[in-house]
Amino acid sequence: MLKAEHLTMEYARPLFEDMNFILGNGEKVGLVGLNGCGKTTLLKIISGKEEPMEGEIHLVNEKIAYLPQTFSLKNEFEYLGMYMESLVDDIYSDMWRVEKILNQLEFGEIDEYQHMSTLSPGQIMKLYLTKLLLDQPTILLLDEPTNHLDIHGITVFEKFVKLFSGICIIISHDRMFLNNTIDTVFEIDEQKLNIYKGNYEDFINQKQERIKDRAKEFHLQEQRRKKFEEMEKKIKKQGGGKKQSRALGAVRKRMEREVLSNEINLYEETRISDISISGQVHGRKKILEIEELSFGYDKNMELLKNLELSIYGSEKIWIKGPNGTGKSTLIKLLVGELAPTNGEIKWGTNINWTYFAQDKTTEDIEETVQEYFFRMTNVEWAKSYKVLERFLFDKDLQNHMVKKLSPGQKARLTFAIFAQNNYECLILDEPTNHLDIQTKEAIEQALREYQGAIILVSHDRYFANQIKPDRTMTIEDKKLKSV
């Protein structure tokens, strides 16, 4: 059993207060909420990596394993076999346990002499998780586990979570993954914990009902308030004296008891709204043409061979497929970060494009959010306040250093910058990995309405389908093929 009592936490601002819950019996929980609301902090508190300002965590016969959102394996392991051997005390009697877990996670072919640098992000995550699972935890805390997985890997991980016999608390912005794995939703909203039974779709429906009920309660509350205020005005018109004083006292007591003691506000959802990304291109204008494109990191081993692709007008292209097939490599070739070993990449005349990189980081930027935004957009300083507020950067956050933002907040800042410019083509490599679901929904709508071309690499099935791609493609046998 996992029990939380009166958890309260804040940093520069309050995150959550008086949080209480009890979990047991192998419950699978999806932890959702806006970027920066305290989801990761809650997992760290449960795992013992951070202490709450107030409250306690109680564990009864439980062992916790925590998979963080970002991690790395020790650099001293050059080959896969060396890392695997480091996980056990006796490689002769215990190595089968490592192999069993890797097979359960469908790691793929285990080659002890495979260089660690050649492993995919999904394989790295599975190796890290294997180390945790060897300790036989009864509680798994998973922070964005699907960020590192391709679509097949996500379906495998769905099966793993469902078969895990202990408690799982999962931070994920992959709505399809949540729908397929969880039976409870914990939502951090308005600095409180709201608990819903069911999967993510059930949560959405229940939350809408809760918002409607709260609106009704607010309406009744305001009716009662108005009634007491009118009663008070009426009594005041009837002259002074002890009788009036007693009557006013009685009305004010009723006002305190029936209205003020449990006063509620009308619910206001915090989310990005009414954003657009400018860009328009003639339907027959050539955006991009790829001819006989080949590339290999090793001269003797090509990753891509004789790729052909033409994009015209406002086409939306979704490129999906397994990790390691060359999707991100293709994107890096398009934007000039890599040079092809053969073939050509021809952009249309004066095409203005921009690039969202999945591994792009703002860790080292020593500017405030507002300073960085101003430098990247040239939006007038006075107007930048309101623009950033629309992307959920209030005045306090605008004065935060960019490098101290959460990964999701950094991604949101990137889209805030995109929205201030005019592009004929967007190149997006896993743009939603760290975005909260509410922000994803706003970005989905903006991309659906965007009038330029889109080249999207994404493992997020729900997101990709929402932007309504004109073509879906994959890299298979080193070539780009339509699905």
Side-chain angles (χ1 to χ4, degrees), residues 154-418:
I154 292 171
T155 58
V156 169
F157 203 69
E158 287 173 357
K159 181 170 66 175
F160 165 78
V161 170
K162 287 187 280 191
L163 291 175
F164 181 71
S165 60
I167 297 168
C168 271
I169 303 179
I170 309 165
I171 298 174
S172 179
H173 301 139
D174 186 324
R175 288 153 288 187
M176 194 173 292
F177 175 76
L178 290 176
N179 276 332
N180 292 338
T181 55
I182 63 172
D183 50 46
T184 303
V185 170
F186 280 8
E187 180 200 30
I188 301 178
D189 188 23
E190 300 179 309
Q191 301 169 22
K192 301 290 185 182
L193 180 69
N194 301 315
I195 300 176
Y196 301 84
K197 290 298 180 182
N199 64 14
Y200 184 77
E201 286 186 4
D202 297 325
F203 151 68
I204 290 297
N205 294 330
Q206 292 174 48
K207 181 173 181 179
Q208 291 306 312
E209 288 301 315
R210 181 178 283 191
I211 291 172
K212 289 178 184 177
D213 291 343
R214 180 159 155 183
K216 291 177 183 177
E217 291 175 19
F218 178 79
H219 181 65
L220 291 172
Q221 168 190 280
E222 295 310 296
Q223 285 183 324
R224 288 194 293 268
R225 189 196 306 274
K226 185 177 180 180
K227 181 184 74 173
F228 292 134
E229 288 173 348
E230 289 174 350
M231 290 172 63
E232 188 173 346
K233 287 178 183 178
K234 188 175 181 180
I235 291 168
K236 287 179 178 179
K237 290 180 180 179
Q238 295 176 353
K242 291 183 178 179
K243 186 176 180 180
Q244 184 198 55
S245 180
R246 286 195 298 270
L248 284 173
V251 169
R252 288 165 182 167
K253 283 182 179 179
R254 287 189 63 188
M255 170 81 91
E256 176 65 33
R257 183 175 66 250
E258 297 182 32
V259 178
L260 302 179
S261 62
N262 294 299
E263 194 169 13
I264 62 171
N265 297 318
L266 196 62
Y267 181 77
E268 295 183 10
E269 187 173 21
T270 304
R271 63 184 301 145
I272 298 174
S273 61
D274 300 324
I275 68 166
S276 63
I277 301 175
S278 298
Q280 194 164 8
V281 61
H282 191 280
R284 287 178 292 180
K285 183 174 182 180
K286 183 174 76 173
I287 302 295
L288 174 69
E289 188 168 353
I290 298 174
E291 297 178 342
E292 298 184 350
L293 180 69
S294 298
F295 178 81
Y297 290 98
D298 188 314
K299 292 182 180 179
N300 300 318
M301 186 177 295
E302 288 182 312
L303 181 62
L304 305 171
K305 186 173 182 179
N306 296 332
L307 267 63
E308 302 280 345
L309 177 66
S310 296
I311 300 175
Y312 288 85
S314 58
E315 280 192 287
K316 295 179 173 66
I317 311 295
W318 175 26
I319 303 174
K320 66 177 185 177
N323 286 334
T325 56
K327 301 185 302 299
S328 291
T329 297
L330 172 59
I331 296 299
K332 290 177 180 179
L333 287 164
L334 296 184
V335 302
E337 290 186 6
L338 295 173
T341 53
N342 192 50
E344 287 187 285
I345 296 170
K346 300 176 182 177
W347 284 97
T349 304
N350 298 323
I351 294 296
N352 184 25
W353 54 264
T354 191
Y355 170 40
F356 185 106
Q358 66 166 316
D359 55 357
K360 185 177 181 180
T361 178
T362 51
E363 294 291 335
D364 299 326
I365 293 178
E366 296 279 353
E367 293 174 289
T368 66
V369 168
Q370 192 182 50
E371 289 168 343
Y372 178 65
F373 179 78
F374 179 73
R375 177 168 64 85
M376 297 299 291
T377 64
N378 289 322
V379 170
E380 291 180 26
W381 190 266
K383 291 183 179 180
S384 67
Y385 286 98
K386 288 188 177 181
V387 174
L388 285 168
E389 282 181 344
R390 285 174 51 213
F391 283 84
L392 308 186
F393 292 97
D394 60 23
K395 289 184 179 180
D396 288 338
L397 270 179
Q398 289 182 33
N399 291 317
H400 267 48
M401 301 300 289
V402 172
K403 68 177 186 179
K404 293 185 178 180
L405 296 176
S406 71
Q409 288 169 327
K410 292 173 183 176
R412 197 163 68 225
L413 180 57
T414 298
F415 276 104
I417 293 167
F418 280 6

Side-chain angles (χ1 to χ4, degrees), residues 105-106 125-126 146 149-158:
L105 295 172
E106 296 193 25
M125 186 275 278
K126 291 174 182 179
T146 62
L149 300 173
D150 56 33
I151 293 174
H152 174 71
I154 292 171
T155 58
V156 169
F157 203 69
E158 287 173 357

Side-chain angles (χ1 to χ4, degrees), residues 8-197:
T8 298
M9 192 65 177
E10 67 177 68
Y11 292 125
R13 61 173 62 194
L15 294 178
F16 46 79
E17 60 181 358
D18 198 27
M19 184 183 289
N20 300 276
F21 61 84
I22 298 176
L23 291 174
N25 300 322
E27 289 183 83
K28 306 296 188 293
V29 177
L31 180 56
V32 303
L34 286 172
N35 292 130
C37 72
K39 301 186 298 294
T40 294
T41 299
L42 177 58
L43 292 196
K44 289 180 178 179
I45 289 172
I46 295 171
S47 67
K49 296 185 180 298
E50 290 196 22
E51 290 290 330
M53 294 181 65
E54 297 179 20
E56 293 181 307
I57 293 291
H58 301 282
L59 300 173
V60 179
N61 299 321
E62 303 285 4
K63 188 181 292 185
I64 293 177
Y66 171 47
L67 179 71
Q69 187 171 157
T70 57
F71 52 81
S72 62
L73 301 181
K74 292 182 179 179
N75 293 329
E76 65 258 30
F77 303 112
E78 188 174 1
Y79 298 104
L80 175 59
M82 295 170 62
Y83 177 78
M84 292 171 61
E85 290 176 1
S86 75
L87 301 180
V88 295
D89 294 326
D90 189 329
I91 61 173
Y92 299 105
S93 62
D94 293 334
M95 188 56 69
W96 67 272
R97 296 177 58 216
V98 177
E99 293 174 351
K100 180 181 178 181
I101 294 171
L102 289 175
N103 288 330
Q104 183 184 6
L105 295 172
E106 296 193 25
F107 177 84
E109 183 180 353
I110 299 175
D111 178 0
E112 295 181 4
Y113 297 101
Q114 183 175 1
H115 202 281
M116 294 289 284
S117 64
T118 66
L119 297 173
S120 71
Q123 288 175 314
I124 295 292
M125 186 275 278
K126 291 174 182 179
L127 287 172
Y128 191 96
L129 184 57
T130 296
K131 180 179 180 179
L132 302 178
L133 294 174
L134 283 169
D135 203 29
Q136 298 181 311
T138 57
I139 297 177
L140 275 182
L141 308 177
L142 307 173
D143 195 347
E144 292 291 359
T146 62
N147 279 359
H148 313 283
L149 300 173
D150 56 33
I151 293 174
H152 174 71
I154 292 171
T155 58
V156 169
F157 203 69
E158 287 173 357
K159 181 170 66 175
F160 165 78
V161 170
K162 287 187 280 191
L163 291 175
F164 181 71
S165 60
I167 297 168
C168 271
I169 303 179
I170 309 165
I171 298 174
S172 179
H173 301 139
D174 186 324
R175 288 153 288 187
M176 194 173 292
F177 175 76
L178 290 176
N179 276 332
N180 292 338
T181 55
I182 63 172
D183 50 46
T184 303
V185 170
F186 280 8
E187 180 200 30
I188 301 178
D189 188 23
E190 300 179 309
Q191 301 169 22
K192 301 290 185 182
L193 180 69
N194 301 315
I195 300 176
Y196 301 84
K197 290 298 180 182

